[in-house]
Amino acid sequence: MSKLIKEDIDKFFIGQFDAFEKSLNGESKKPLHAKRKKAIDNFKELGFPHAKHEEYKYSNIAKIFGKLFNVENLSDDSFSLSLDEASRYFIPELDAIRLVFVNGVLDNKLSDMDTLPKGVHIQAIKTAADDYAEDFEKHFNTHEIEGADNFSELNTAFTNGGVFVKIDANAAVEKPIACYYFNDAKNADVISQPRNLVIAEKNSQVSLIESYVTLGENTSFTNAVTEIVVEGDCIFNYYKYQNESNQAIQVGATMVHQLGKSVFNGVTLSLNGAMLRNNLNIAIHKEHSETNMYGLYLLDGKTHVDNHTVVDHKVPNCESNEMYKGILDGQSRGVFNGKIFVRQDAQKTNAFQSNRNVVLSDDAEVDTKPQLEIWADDVQCSHGATVGQLDADQLFYLRARGIDKKTAKSMLLNAFASDVLSNIKIEAFRTLIENKINERL
């Protein structure tokens, strides 16, 4: 395969859309398709983001896509995944509403939606666009948000295989909703573009987990978008877990609209993959809202993880807290770019941001850029970033008490990560992550 350049990649996806559009038949006249067409037009304008885009300065996805991806050899629709095979990657001991996606498409046979709790509505996004037309008209790709980029436009253009979730007003959903995304790259390279819309109505509570896995040795490219609408007096817990193959390229955008006074808690956990880009964009529209964002990236080998976050304070009397931590070994690379916007009307905003990194190898690299843009004057805002090695005094303290060097390092790194892990409220999920970290360390 000859190396693909950016223009080739643009032409490839535009050609893919033309073929996709022809397969829709009568669907092309529906409102959803109008949004698809607008999105592909926007994509054509700028194309596949590359290193000259400021937001992708340290993460040239176009380059790695062109280097690894074989557009001549893409998987078709003949893939199959058994429940037994999929269950090996389910979170052990987790009692959840299970949703399974294969190559970006919701698989009803592998999912567990037969007995949904009262107040929970779930179905494929393709059919929900008709069945929940009012919700789609109101919320699907309609709320402007800082940080959205051309990957999101590309995803919107191919909206077809994701899921629609609606939590009714006053519903407290005890079971988390666990979304397992499998890319089947056993026989060929694969592209998946799941698009999800999640609506939490007034006074509801729910937890959502997204887990990503690529099966097989071929390359996978995932371009995922999850749009979350949070209404008044809601508590929404969101978890993202990435433990991908060494040939997996992933771009994920989570776009959160806090339309009412609410609490949003997000935790992003990245362990492995060729290149992982996480865009977490949050817009706060109502006073007295709270936003908490936590992240941990534990990297080795040549894994590249880029976390880009945006919190947009549009109104007064709100609070956001952000803490991302990285542990990097081998030839891995971590990128963090966190932006906090405090608009002119957003007086009495409290906004805090921290990025801390421990580098264990001379070949590992970190690029960190916390940012504040403040137009209001009555605010309390701070940000900071650190990059360093393990504390030599702490290591000496443990060694002096008879603890071997390997165990002492592991203890210190576990303590470093615990500030993030303590924010995982689902015990079975937290146990899984702790075990994975212990195995790595």
Side-chain angles (χ1 to χ4, degrees):
M1 179 190 68
S2 60
K3 183 177 178 181
L4 291 168
I5 61 175
K6 179 189 175 301
E7 289 73 16
D8 295 329
I9 300 171
D10 292 351
K11 289 178 182 177
F12 166 72
F13 279 108
I14 292 168
Q16 288 273 302
F17 180 81
D18 291 341
F20 169 63
E21 188 174 38
K22 290 176 182 176
S23 72
L24 293 175
N25 298 320
E27 274 189 56
S28 60
K29 297 179 181 179
K30 295 183 178 180
L32 174 59
H33 193 61
K35 294 194 175 188
R36 291 186 184 122
K37 287 180 70 68
K38 182 179 178 181
I40 198 65
D41 288 341
N42 291 339
F43 175 79
K44 289 175 182 178
E45 212 173 302
L46 292 175
F48 206 82
H50 53 85
K52 290 184 179 180
H53 288 77
E54 180 63 27
E55 299 301 316
Y56 287 85
K57 179 179 179 181
Y58 299 110
S59 301
N60 192 346
I61 294 174
K63 181 178 179 180
I64 193 170
F65 183 95
K67 181 181 178 182
L68 296 181
F69 219 82
N70 186 354
V71 300
E72 307 275 331
N73 184 26
L74 292 174
S75 63
D76 56 25
D77 293 333
S78 62
F79 56 79
S80 62
L81 180 66
S82 69
L83 182 59
D84 181 63
E85 186 177 11
S87 64
R88 299 173 200 170
Y89 300 91
F90 295 163
I91 299 168
E93 309 300 325
L94 178 67
D95 185 16
I97 301 168
R98 185 181 71 243
L99 306 179
V100 177
F101 303 78
V102 181
N103 294 0
V105 179
L106 180 65
D107 190 317
N108 290 314
K109 293 180 180 179
L110 299 179
S111 301
D112 182 17
M113 299 185 294
D114 292 336
T115 54
L116 293 177
K118 184 179 180 181
V120 178
H121 310 270
I122 300 176
Q123 69 180 82
I125 199 163
K126 181 179 176 180
T127 57
D130 291 329
D131 295 345
Y132 294 87
E134 186 176 340
D135 290 310
F136 263 75
E137 181 64 27
K138 188 176 180 181
H139 296 302
F140 180 80
N141 206 43
T142 57
H143 304 292
E144 290 187 8
I145 194 165
E146 289 285 345
D149 61 28
N150 228 27
F151 282 113
S152 297
E153 297 285 7
L154 184 64
N155 173 281
T156 301
F158 286 90
T159 299
N160 202 47
V163 71
F164 171 84
V165 177
K166 182 177 179 180
I167 311 301
D168 284 345
N170 304 312
V173 187
E174 295 183 3
K175 292 184 180 181
I177 300 170
C179 300
Y180 297 98
Y181 300 91
F182 292 94
N183 278 337
D184 181 2
K186 294 189 288 291
N187 299 314
D189 291 352
V190 62
I191 292 174
S192 65
Q193 300 200 72
R195 174 57 177 258
N196 309 314
L197 175 60
V198 183
I199 301 171
E201 293 191 327
K202 292 181 179 180
N203 198 38
S204 62
Q205 296 183 33
V206 66
S207 296
L208 177 72
I209 302 172
E210 294 189 324
S211 174
Y212 294 85
V213 174
T214 293
L215 306 176
E217 299 300 319
N218 292 294
T219 302
S220 70
F221 173 67
T222 303
N223 178 28
V225 172
T226 296
E227 197 168 14
I228 299 172
V229 176
V230 186
E231 297 186 352
D233 299 311
C234 289
I235 299 176
F236 198 107
N237 301 310
Y238 171 77
Y239 305 96
K240 185 176 187 178
Y241 172 49
Q242 300 162 304
N243 194 13
E244 281 277 22
S245 76
N246 292 329
Q247 295 292 107
I249 307 165
Q250 185 181 135
V251 181
T254 306
M255 297 186 286
V256 182
H257 313 285
Q258 289 183 258
L259 299 185
K261 183 190 75 172
S262 55
V263 177
F264 176 84
N265 303 306
V267 183
T268 302
L269 305 152
S270 305
L271 301 187
N272 198 63
M275 179 174 283
L276 307 176
R277 166 67 176 241
N278 299 310
N279 297 324
L280 177 54
N281 309 319
I282 301 176
I284 306 173
H285 292 267
K286 289 293 181 180
E287 290 189 59
H288 306 293
S289 290
E290 179 183 334
T291 306
N292 301 299
M293 308 160 70
Y294 307 98
L296 177 67
Y297 39 104
L298 178 62
L299 314 179
D300 61 7
K302 294 185 178 181
T303 296
H304 181 123
V305 172
D306 182 346
N307 286 297
H308 264 59
T309 67
V310 174
V311 182
D312 191 353
H313 287 266
K314 297 177 177 291
V315 293
N317 298 304
C318 293
E319 179 177 328
S320 66
N321 300 284
E322 182 173 5
M323 178 174 61
Y324 274 67
K325 290 189 171 186
I327 301 173
L328 298 94
D329 205 348
Q331 295 176 282
S332 62
R333 186 172 187 179
V335 179
F336 174 82
N337 188 319
K339 294 181 180 179
I340 297 175
F341 295 99
V342 182
R343 305 297 176 179
Q344 188 172 1
D345 292 336
Q347 303 294 340
K348 299 190 182 303
T349 289
N350 293 332
F352 307 99
Q353 183 186 83
S354 171
N355 176 229
R356 296 175 59 195
N357 299 275
V358 174
V359 179
L360 304 177
S361 164
D362 291 338
D363 295 322
E365 184 178 346
V366 176
D367 298 287
T368 179
K369 187 181 180 182
Q371 294 176 262
L372 291 173
E373 294 190 29
I374 303 172
W375 290 274
D377 49 18
D378 185 8
V379 300
Q380 292 187 30
C381 299
S382 67
H383 67 233
T386 60
V387 180
Q389 299 176 327
L390 281 174
D391 189 300
D393 291 340
Q394 292 178 347
L395 194 59
F396 176 80
Y397 177 87
L398 293 175
R399 295 294 309 282
R401 278 147 183 79
I403 299 173
D404 65 87
K405 186 175 181 180
K406 183 178 180 180
T407 302
K409 287 177 67 175
S410 179
M411 290 174 65
L412 291 176
L413 292 172
N414 270 291
F416 178 78
S418 64
D419 288 342
V420 173
L421 301 185
S422 64
N423 292 285
I424 302 176
K425 307 302 182 185
I426 301 170
E427 184 176 354
F429 184 43
R430 185 175 62 251
T431 299
L432 170 69
I433 303 302
E434 289 173 344
N435 290 340
K436 292 292 183 183
I437 290 175
N438 286 328
E439 288 172 14
R440 180 75 62 84
L441 296 179

